[in-house]
mmCIF file of all heavy atoms in Angstrom:
data_model
loop_
_atom_site.group_PDB
_atom_site.id
_atom_site.type_symbol
_atom_site.label_atom_id
_atom_site.label_comp_id
_atom_site.label_asym_id
_atom_site.label_seq_id
_atom_site.Cartn_x
_atom_site.Cartn_y
_atom_site.Cartn_z
ATOM 1 N N GLN A 59 13.729 -0.072 -15.428
ATOM 2 C CA GLN A 59 14.719 0.966 -15.649
ATOM 3 C C GLN A 59 14.176 2.315 -15.240
ATOM 4 O O GLN A 59 13.019 2.511 -15.115
ATOM 5 C CB GLN A 59 15.144 1.090 -17.127
ATOM 6 C CG GLN A 59 15.933 -0.141 -17.685
ATOM 7 C CD GLN A 59 16.424 -0.031 -19.087
ATOM 8 O OE1 GLN A 59 15.816 0.729 -19.855
ATOM 9 N NE2 GLN A 59 17.490 -0.616 -19.376
ATOM 10 N N PRO A 60 15.060 3.274 -14.849
ATOM 11 C CA PRO A 60 14.571 4.620 -14.550
ATOM 12 C C PRO A 60 13.551 5.110 -15.606
ATOM 13 O O PRO A 60 13.894 4.975 -16.873
ATOM 14 C CB PRO A 60 15.772 5.455 -14.423
ATOM 15 C CG PRO A 60 16.882 4.519 -14.060
ATOM 16 C CD PRO A 60 16.553 3.234 -14.803
ATOM 17 N N GLY A 61 12.487 5.737 -15.221
ATOM 18 C CA GLY A 61 11.512 6.289 -16.115
ATOM 19 C C GLY A 61 10.433 5.319 -16.458
ATOM 20 O O GLY A 61 9.374 5.627 -17.073
ATOM 21 N N GLY A 62 10.595 4.014 -16.020
ATOM 22 C CA GLY A 62 9.672 2.967 -16.418
ATOM 23 C C GLY A 62 8.429 2.956 -15.474
ATOM 24 O O GLY A 62 8.355 3.806 -14.532
ATOM 25 N N SER A 63 7.581 1.995 -15.615
ATOM 26 C CA SER A 63 6.364 1.863 -14.816
ATOM 27 C C SER A 63 6.139 0.463 -14.253
ATOM 28 O O SER A 63 6.675 -0.521 -14.865
ATOM 29 C CB SER A 63 5.104 2.276 -15.634
ATOM 30 O OG SER A 63 5.224 3.626 -16.033
ATOM 31 N N LEU A 64 5.518 0.348 -13.150
ATOM 32 C CA LEU A 64 5.089 -0.862 -12.622
ATOM 33 C C LEU A 64 3.697 -0.652 -11.891
ATOM 34 O O LEU A 64 3.303 0.423 -11.500
ATOM 35 C CB LEU A 64 6.014 -1.406 -11.495
ATOM 36 C CG LEU A 64 7.231 -2.028 -11.964
ATOM 37 C CD1 LEU A 64 8.149 -2.407 -10.663
ATOM 38 C CD2 LEU A 64 6.998 -3.303 -12.662
ATOM 39 N N ARG A 65 2.968 -1.734 -11.859
ATOM 40 C CA ARG A 65 1.604 -1.736 -11.195
ATOM 41 C C ARG A 65 1.539 -2.806 -10.113
ATOM 42 O O ARG A 65 1.627 -3.970 -10.515
ATOM 43 C CB ARG A 65 0.457 -1.990 -12.256
ATOM 44 C CG ARG A 65 -0.891 -1.804 -11.658
ATOM 45 C CD ARG A 65 -2.015 -2.066 -12.768
ATOM 46 N NE ARG A 65 -3.328 -2.081 -12.280
ATOM 47 C CZ ARG A 65 -4.153 -0.982 -11.953
ATOM 48 N NH1 ARG A 65 -3.645 0.145 -12.165
ATOM 49 N NH2 ARG A 65 -5.351 -1.182 -11.563
ATOM 50 N N LEU A 66 1.417 -2.388 -8.895
ATOM 51 C CA LEU A 66 1.349 -3.374 -7.833
ATOM 52 C C LEU A 66 -0.168 -3.702 -7.493
ATOM 53 O O LEU A 66 -0.981 -2.825 -7.512
ATOM 54 C CB LEU A 66 2.022 -2.880 -6.506
ATOM 55 C CG LEU A 66 3.498 -2.384 -6.731
ATOM 56 C CD1 LEU A 66 4.022 -1.962 -5.364
ATOM 57 C CD2 LEU A 66 4.365 -3.505 -7.292
ATOM 58 N N SER A 67 -0.415 -4.916 -7.101
ATOM 59 C CA SER A 67 -1.774 -5.364 -6.611
ATOM 60 C C SER A 67 -1.639 -5.982 -5.319
ATOM 61 O O SER A 67 -0.631 -6.638 -4.967
ATOM 62 C CB SER A 67 -2.338 -6.319 -7.631
ATOM 63 O OG SER A 67 -2.463 -5.730 -8.983
ATOM 64 N N CYS A 68 -2.780 -5.842 -4.513
ATOM 65 C CA CYS A 68 -2.896 -6.501 -3.205
ATOM 66 C C CYS A 68 -4.300 -6.887 -2.992
ATOM 67 O O CYS A 68 -5.205 -6.011 -2.889
ATOM 68 C CB CYS A 68 -2.372 -5.479 -2.140
ATOM 69 S SG CYS A 68 -2.603 -6.122 -0.444
ATOM 70 N N ALA A 69 -4.506 -8.177 -2.855
ATOM 71 C CA ALA A 69 -5.859 -8.713 -2.661
ATOM 72 C C ALA A 69 -6.036 -9.146 -1.198
ATOM 73 O O ALA A 69 -5.285 -9.855 -0.614
ATOM 74 C CB ALA A 69 -6.127 -9.954 -3.499
ATOM 75 N N ALA A 70 -7.124 -8.678 -0.555
ATOM 76 C CA ALA A 70 -7.494 -8.918 0.848
ATOM 77 C C ALA A 70 -8.434 -10.005 0.924
ATOM 78 O O ALA A 70 -9.404 -10.156 0.111
ATOM 79 C CB ALA A 70 -7.954 -7.669 1.549
ATOM 80 N N SER A 71 -8.331 -10.940 1.955
ATOM 81 C CA SER A 71 -9.287 -11.976 2.159
ATOM 82 C C SER A 71 -9.414 -12.100 3.741
ATOM 83 O O SER A 71 -8.673 -11.627 4.479
ATOM 84 C CB SER A 71 -8.870 -13.262 1.485
ATOM 85 O OG SER A 71 -7.594 -13.751 1.966
ATOM 86 N N GLY A 72 -10.331 -13.003 4.118
ATOM 87 C CA GLY A 72 -10.575 -13.266 5.541
ATOM 88 C C GLY A 72 -11.550 -12.261 6.096
ATOM 89 O O GLY A 72 -12.497 -11.867 5.440
ATOM 90 N N SER A 73 -11.306 -11.763 7.286
ATOM 91 C CA SER A 73 -12.262 -10.823 7.981
ATOM 92 C C SER A 73 -11.983 -9.426 7.555
ATOM 93 O O SER A 73 -11.628 -8.531 8.358
ATOM 94 C CB SER A 73 -12.095 -11.022 9.507
ATOM 95 O OG SER A 73 -12.414 -12.370 9.944
ATOM 96 N N PHE A 74 -12.188 -9.184 6.240
ATOM 97 C CA PHE A 74 -11.993 -7.901 5.718
ATOM 98 C C PHE A 74 -13.309 -7.180 5.413
ATOM 99 O O PHE A 74 -14.209 -7.721 4.915
ATOM 100 C CB PHE A 74 -11.180 -7.922 4.420
ATOM 101 C CG PHE A 74 -11.010 -6.613 3.676
ATOM 102 C CD1 PHE A 74 -9.935 -5.752 4.066
ATOM 103 C CD2 PHE A 74 -11.802 -6.234 2.642
ATOM 104 C CE1 PHE A 74 -9.796 -4.591 3.477
ATOM 105 C CE2 PHE A 74 -11.705 -5.033 2.052
ATOM 106 C CZ PHE A 74 -10.639 -4.177 2.463
ATOM 107 N N PHE A 75 -13.293 -5.884 5.904
ATOM 108 C CA PHE A 75 -14.551 -5.111 5.635
ATOM 109 C C PHE A 75 -14.176 -3.939 4.765
ATOM 110 O O PHE A 75 -13.147 -3.373 4.878
ATOM 111 C CB PHE A 75 -15.110 -4.529 6.967
ATOM 112 C CG PHE A 75 -15.654 -5.641 7.831
ATOM 113 C CD1 PHE A 75 -14.805 -6.229 8.869
ATOM 114 C CD2 PHE A 75 -16.930 -6.103 7.796
ATOM 115 C CE1 PHE A 75 -15.291 -7.205 9.651
ATOM 116 C CE2 PHE A 75 -17.425 -7.040 8.575
ATOM 117 C CZ PHE A 75 -16.568 -7.630 9.507
ATOM 118 N N ARG A 76 -15.023 -3.673 3.833
ATOM 119 C CA ARG A 76 -14.786 -2.601 2.845
ATOM 120 C C ARG A 76 -14.656 -1.233 3.431
ATOM 121 O O ARG A 76 -14.188 -0.283 2.752
ATOM 122 C CB ARG A 76 -15.875 -2.649 1.775
ATOM 123 C CG ARG A 76 -15.913 -3.927 0.900
ATOM 124 C CD ARG A 76 -16.752 -3.876 -0.338
ATOM 125 N NE ARG A 76 -16.587 -5.038 -1.179
ATOM 126 C CZ ARG A 76 -17.312 -6.081 -1.107
ATOM 127 N NH1 ARG A 76 -18.331 -6.084 -0.319
ATOM 128 N NH2 ARG A 76 -17.175 -7.040 -1.899
ATOM 129 N N GLY A 77 -15.019 -1.014 4.647
ATOM 130 C CA GLY A 77 -14.790 0.287 5.262
ATOM 131 C C GLY A 77 -13.414 0.548 5.810
ATOM 132 O O GLY A 77 -13.075 1.564 6.193
ATOM 133 N N TYR A 78 -12.604 -0.595 5.755
ATOM 134 C CA TYR A 78 -11.186 -0.381 6.168
ATOM 135 C C TYR A 78 -10.406 0.450 5.183
ATOM 136 O O TYR A 78 -10.673 0.398 3.993
ATOM 137 C CB TYR A 78 -10.529 -1.771 6.291
ATOM 138 C CG TYR A 78 -10.992 -2.633 7.409
ATOM 139 C CD1 TYR A 78 -10.659 -3.963 7.440
ATOM 140 C CD2 TYR A 78 -11.740 -2.161 8.413
ATOM 141 C CE1 TYR A 78 -11.098 -4.867 8.412
ATOM 142 C CE2 TYR A 78 -12.301 -3.056 9.458
ATOM 143 C CZ TYR A 78 -11.886 -4.387 9.420
ATOM 144 O OH TYR A 78 -12.311 -5.159 10.421
ATOM 145 N N THR A 79 -9.415 1.205 5.792
ATOM 146 C CA THR A 79 -8.475 1.988 4.918
ATOM 147 C C THR A 79 -7.387 1.029 4.430
ATOM 148 O O THR A 79 -6.857 0.199 5.129
ATOM 149 C CB THR A 79 -7.839 3.099 5.660
ATOM 150 O OG1 THR A 79 -8.795 4.033 6.054
ATOM 151 C CG2 THR A 79 -6.716 3.801 4.907
ATOM 152 N N MET A 80 -7.009 1.187 3.142
ATOM 153 C CA MET A 80 -6.040 0.348 2.461
ATOM 154 C C MET A 80 -4.849 1.308 2.130
ATOM 155 O O MET A 80 -5.039 2.479 1.845
ATOM 156 C CB MET A 80 -6.482 -0.450 1.369
ATOM 157 C CG MET A 80 -7.727 -1.307 1.668
ATOM 158 S SD MET A 80 -8.247 -2.314 0.247
ATOM 159 C CE MET A 80 -7.079 -3.680 0.305
ATOM 160 N N GLY A 81 -3.692 0.751 1.959
ATOM 161 C CA GLY A 81 -2.502 1.653 1.610
ATOM 162 C C GLY A 81 -1.265 0.850 1.293
ATOM 163 O O GLY A 81 -1.224 -0.360 1.295
ATOM 164 N N TRP A 82 -0.264 1.619 0.916
ATOM 165 C CA TRP A 82 1.028 1.077 0.568
ATOM 166 C C TRP A 82 2.091 1.772 1.314
ATOM 167 O O TRP A 82 2.084 3.091 1.462
ATOM 168 C CB TRP A 82 1.333 1.166 -0.962
ATOM 169 C CG TRP A 82 0.446 0.367 -1.763
ATOM 170 C CD1 TRP A 82 -0.730 0.713 -2.313
ATOM 171 C CD2 TRP A 82 0.734 -0.971 -2.201
ATOM 172 N NE1 TRP A 82 -1.197 -0.367 -3.097
ATOM 173 C CE2 TRP A 82 -0.383 -1.387 -2.975
ATOM 174 C CE3 TRP A 82 1.781 -1.897 -1.920
ATOM 175 C CZ2 TRP A 82 -0.362 -2.736 -3.556
ATOM 176 C CZ3 TRP A 82 1.708 -3.227 -2.432
ATOM 177 C CH2 TRP A 82 0.611 -3.570 -3.269
ATOM 178 N N TYR A 83 3.071 1.010 1.937
ATOM 179 C CA TYR A 83 4.226 1.620 2.547
ATOM 180 C C TYR A 83 5.493 0.863 1.870
ATOM 181 O O TYR A 83 5.349 -0.110 1.110
ATOM 182 C CB TYR A 83 4.298 1.138 3.985
ATOM 183 C CG TYR A 83 3.199 1.858 4.813
ATOM 184 C CD1 TYR A 83 1.831 1.575 4.674
ATOM 185 C CD2 TYR A 83 3.488 2.894 5.776
ATOM 186 C CE1 TYR A 83 0.815 2.224 5.391
ATOM 187 C CE2 TYR A 83 2.521 3.485 6.506
ATOM 188 C CZ TYR A 83 1.170 3.141 6.271
ATOM 189 O OH TYR A 83 0.189 3.829 7.075
ATOM 190 N N ARG A 84 6.672 1.495 2.118
ATOM 191 C CA ARG A 84 7.856 0.952 1.521
ATOM 192 C C ARG A 84 9.058 1.164 2.526
ATOM 193 O O ARG A 84 8.994 1.944 3.420
ATOM 194 C CB ARG A 84 8.192 1.545 0.183
ATOM 195 C CG ARG A 84 8.621 3.020 0.303
ATOM 196 C CD ARG A 84 8.756 3.654 -1.099
ATOM 197 N NE ARG A 84 9.247 5.076 -1.079
ATOM 198 C CZ ARG A 84 9.376 5.804 -2.180
ATOM 199 N NH1 ARG A 84 9.025 5.261 -3.351
ATOM 200 N NH2 ARG A 84 9.663 7.067 -2.069
ATOM 201 N N GLN A 85 9.980 0.232 2.395
ATOM 202 C CA GLN A 85 11.145 0.289 3.122
ATOM 203 C C GLN A 85 12.466 -0.006 2.363
ATOM 204 O O GLN A 85 12.574 -1.056 1.734
ATOM 205 C CB GLN A 85 11.083 -0.706 4.335
ATOM 206 C CG GLN A 85 12.237 -0.667 5.325
ATOM 207 C CD GLN A 85 11.937 -1.433 6.585
ATOM 208 O OE1 GLN A 85 11.161 -2.412 6.566
ATOM 209 N NE2 GLN A 85 12.611 -1.015 7.699
ATOM 210 N N ALA A 86 13.323 0.980 2.239
ATOM 211 C CA ALA A 86 14.589 0.854 1.545
ATOM 212 C C ALA A 86 15.613 0.318 2.546
ATOM 213 O O ALA A 86 15.505 0.477 3.773
ATOM 214 C CB ALA A 86 15.014 2.185 0.926
ATOM 215 N N PRO A 87 16.694 -0.242 1.956
ATOM 216 C CA PRO A 87 17.821 -0.796 2.840
ATOM 217 C C PRO A 87 18.364 0.288 3.821
ATOM 218 O O PRO A 87 18.633 1.407 3.334
ATOM 219 C CB PRO A 87 18.869 -1.239 1.922
ATOM 220 C CG PRO A 87 18.106 -1.608 0.650
ATOM 221 C CD PRO A 87 17.008 -0.620 0.634
ATOM 222 N N GLY A 88 18.448 0.046 5.130
ATOM 223 C CA GLY A 88 18.883 0.927 6.059
ATOM 224 C C GLY A 88 18.056 2.080 6.463
ATOM 225 O O GLY A 88 18.534 3.017 7.184
ATOM 226 N N LYS A 89 16.762 2.102 5.960
ATOM 227 C CA LYS A 89 15.861 3.196 6.268
ATOM 228 C C LYS A 89 14.624 2.698 6.973
ATOM 229 O O LYS A 89 14.354 1.515 6.932
ATOM 230 C CB LYS A 89 15.513 3.943 4.910
ATOM 231 C CG LYS A 89 16.683 4.500 4.177
ATOM 232 C CD LYS A 89 16.273 5.480 3.131
ATOM 233 C CE LYS A 89 15.788 6.832 3.754
ATOM 234 N NZ LYS A 89 15.518 7.830 2.761
ATOM 235 N N GLN A 90 13.888 3.623 7.498
ATOM 236 C CA GLN A 90 12.593 3.329 8.208
ATOM 237 C C GLN A 90 11.547 3.058 7.206
ATOM 238 O O GLN A 90 11.632 3.591 6.075
ATOM 239 C CB GLN A 90 12.208 4.484 9.048
ATOM 240 C CG GLN A 90 13.149 4.801 10.292
ATOM 241 C CD GLN A 90 13.075 3.727 11.368
ATOM 242 O OE1 GLN A 90 11.909 3.485 11.796
ATOM 243 N NE2 GLN A 90 14.130 3.269 11.825
ATOM 244 N N ARG A 91 10.535 2.234 7.522
ATOM 245 C CA ARG A 91 9.405 2.008 6.670
ATOM 246 C C ARG A 91 8.616 3.413 6.650
ATOM 247 O O ARG A 91 8.424 4.032 7.639
ATOM 248 C CB ARG A 91 8.517 0.975 7.235
ATOM 249 C CG ARG A 91 7.371 0.610 6.329
ATOM 250 C CD ARG A 91 6.596 -0.587 6.773
ATOM 251 N NE ARG A 91 7.454 -1.798 6.904
ATOM 252 C CZ ARG A 91 7.012 -3.043 7.219
ATOM 253 N NH1 ARG A 91 5.751 -3.195 7.462
ATOM 254 N NH2 ARG A 91 7.834 -4.076 7.161
ATOM 255 N N GLU A 92 8.172 3.762 5.448
ATOM 256 C CA GLU A 92 7.492 5.036 5.262
ATOM 257 C C GLU A 92 6.247 4.859 4.453
ATOM 258 O O GLU A 92 6.134 3.963 3.645
ATOM 259 C CB GLU A 92 8.431 6.017 4.574
ATOM 260 C CG GLU A 92 8.755 5.629 3.124
ATOM 261 C CD GLU A 92 9.654 6.698 2.416
ATOM 262 O OE1 GLU A 92 9.867 7.771 2.935
ATOM 263 O OE2 GLU A 92 10.022 6.451 1.242
ATOM 264 N N LEU A 93 5.284 5.785 4.670
ATOM 265 C CA LEU A 93 4.022 5.814 3.936
ATOM 266 C C LEU A 93 4.233 6.202 2.573
ATOM 267 O O LEU A 93 5.026 7.213 2.295
ATOM 268 C CB LEU A 93 3.019 6.591 4.669
ATOM 269 C CG LEU A 93 1.558 6.733 4.127
ATOM 270 C CD1 LEU A 93 0.617 6.927 5.261
ATOM 271 C CD2 LEU A 93 1.544 7.882 3.103
ATOM 272 N N VAL A 94 3.584 5.520 1.638
ATOM 273 C CA VAL A 94 3.600 5.872 0.219
ATOM 274 C C VAL A 94 2.183 6.537 -0.106
ATOM 275 O O VAL A 94 2.191 7.608 -0.689
ATOM 276 C CB VAL A 94 3.946 4.713 -0.717
ATOM 277 C CG1 VAL A 94 3.869 5.148 -2.183
ATOM 278 C CG2 VAL A 94 5.293 4.099 -0.297
ATOM 279 N N ALA A 95 1.146 5.733 0.094
ATOM 280 C CA ALA A 95 -0.112 6.254 -0.208
ATOM 281 C C ALA A 95 -1.180 5.533 0.507
ATOM 282 O O ALA A 95 -1.020 4.366 0.860
ATOM 283 C CB ALA A 95 -0.358 6.185 -1.741
ATOM 284 N N THR A 96 -2.376 6.145 0.836
ATOM 285 C CA THR A 96 -3.483 5.479 1.514
ATOM 286 C C THR A 96 -4.742 5.884 0.750
ATOM 287 O O THR A 96 -4.825 6.985 0.129
ATOM 288 C CB THR A 96 -3.622 5.847 2.934
ATOM 289 O OG1 THR A 96 -3.858 7.327 3.093
ATOM 290 C CG2 THR A 96 -2.457 5.461 3.749
ATOM 291 N N ILE A 97 -5.736 4.979 0.882
ATOM 292 C CA ILE A 97 -7.088 5.297 0.248
ATOM 293 C C ILE A 97 -8.122 4.725 1.130
ATOM 294 O O ILE A 97 -8.330 3.462 1.224
ATOM 295 C CB ILE A 97 -7.093 4.708 -1.185
ATOM 296 C CG1 ILE A 97 -8.475 5.042 -1.832
ATOM 297 C CG2 ILE A 97 -6.802 3.254 -1.241
ATOM 298 C CD1 ILE A 97 -8.488 4.781 -3.333
ATOM 299 N N PRO A 98 -8.884 5.589 1.852
ATOM 300 C CA PRO A 98 -9.987 5.060 2.665
ATOM 301 C C PRO A 98 -11.173 4.643 1.771
ATOM 302 O O PRO A 98 -11.013 4.759 0.586
ATOM 303 C CB PRO A 98 -10.402 6.271 3.484
ATOM 304 C CG PRO A 98 -9.246 7.235 3.327
ATOM 305 C CD PRO A 98 -8.668 7.051 2.035
ATOM 306 N N SER A 99 -12.238 4.089 2.360
ATOM 307 C CA SER A 99 -13.341 3.635 1.609
ATOM 308 C C SER A 99 -13.982 4.755 0.854
ATOM 309 O O SER A 99 -14.662 4.390 -0.111
ATOM 310 C CB SER A 99 -14.270 2.965 2.585
ATOM 311 O OG SER A 99 -14.810 3.752 3.570
ATOM 312 N N ASP A 100 -13.888 5.996 1.333
ATOM 313 C CA ASP A 100 -14.526 7.049 0.573
ATOM 314 C C ASP A 100 -13.742 7.513 -0.593
ATOM 315 O O ASP A 100 -14.114 8.456 -1.380
ATOM 316 C CB ASP A 100 -14.843 8.269 1.555
ATOM 317 C CG ASP A 100 -13.565 8.874 2.097
ATOM 318 O OD1 ASP A 100 -12.439 8.576 1.738
ATOM 319 O OD2 ASP A 100 -13.672 9.758 3.044
#
């Protein structure tokens, strides 16, 4: 419901290096995919 909370998780495997930047994007119906947030290794 509006005002509520959720926590998303994403686990990486394979040829993943901790120096890679990770992030979240989103796409609403009829709209372009957009950046939500990013977090580099630093």
Side-chain angles (χ1 to χ4, degrees):
Q59 294 186 331
S63 298
L64 282 174
R65 183 177 174 86
L66 306 182
S67 299
C68 174
S71 62
S73 299
F74 177 81
F75 295 92
R76 294 192 173 95
Y78 292 167
T79 294
M80 307 184 78
W82 292 93
Y83 293 69
R84 67 186 182 186
Q85 187 168 22
K89 304 194 71 175
Q90 298 283 312
R91 186 174 299 186
E92 65 177 356
L93 182 147
V94 177
T96 61
I97 181 167
S99 59
D100 64 10

